[in-house]
Amino acid sequence: MAAKTYIGLSLGNDNSVIAIINKEHRAEVIANEDGEHKTPTFIAFSGGEEFHGSQAKHQLVRNAANTIAGFRDMLGQAYSAELAAKHAGCARIEAAADGSGAEFVVGGEAGSLRVSAHSAAVRYLQRLRATAEA
């Protein structure tokens, strides 16, 4: 029987951490693809590509309108002007068309993409999991 691997993901609003249970049955924080133990909780879109972590955080400087930050605190929240103001400085936030909450709007007018906080969390956690499994 193959040994099981246990992965722990800590989703923070600013940074996230990946841990595994090692052979000594102790939690061990592992480095991401950039060699860092903390991964910034950011997603950015640029030139048809999707960036996560440090690469996405760097996009905040020159590509803020297409960078998603603070999505963890938006999970389960309804849209409000206060919520949008709190997240000013990154991707625009609008009410979801179906009334289910707030969504980030990234991309230009011709090809905008609407990303809910839930969808952003799923994308981000899938990336962390892939890093842990690599």
Side-chain angles (χ1 to χ4, degrees):
M1 181 179 205
K4 292 184 179 180
T5 301
Y6 295 93
I7 302 169
L9 304 174
S10 174
L11 179 63
N13 203 44
D14 296 321
N15 292 290
S16 298
V17 177
I18 308 165
I20 60 168
I21 301 298
N22 64 20
K23 293 176 184 174
E24 291 81 34
H25 303 287
R26 298 172 95 33
E28 177 183 337
V29 175
I30 61 172
N32 61 22
E33 60 270 6
D34 297 324
E36 301 169 348
H37 287 101
K38 291 192 310 185
T39 303
T41 309
F42 289 78
I43 302 173
F45 300 86
S46 179
E49 293 186 68
E50 184 173 328
F51 299 96
H52 295 257
S54 296
Q55 295 172 342
K57 187 174 181 179
H58 294 305
Q59 291 284 320
L60 190 58
V61 175
R62 62 180 183 268
N63 187 22
N66 295 311
T67 302
I68 298 174
F71 55 85
R72 190 208 63 180
D73 282 351
M74 288 179 52
L75 292 170
Q77 298 292 316
Y79 173 81
S80 68
E82 293 83 22
L83 182 67
K86 181 180 176 185
H87 290 85
C90 63
R92 188 173 76 246
I93 298 173
E94 295 180 355
D98 64 2
S100 63
E103 294 178 321
F104 292 95
V105 181
V106 296
E109 294 298 321
S112 64
L113 172 68
R114 299 179 76 86
V115 181
S116 69
H118 178 266
S119 177
V122 168
R123 288 170 183 251
Y124 186 79
L125 288 170
Q126 286 174 335
R127 182 64 171 266
L128 289 181
R129 180 180 177 188
T131 298
E133 292 175 337

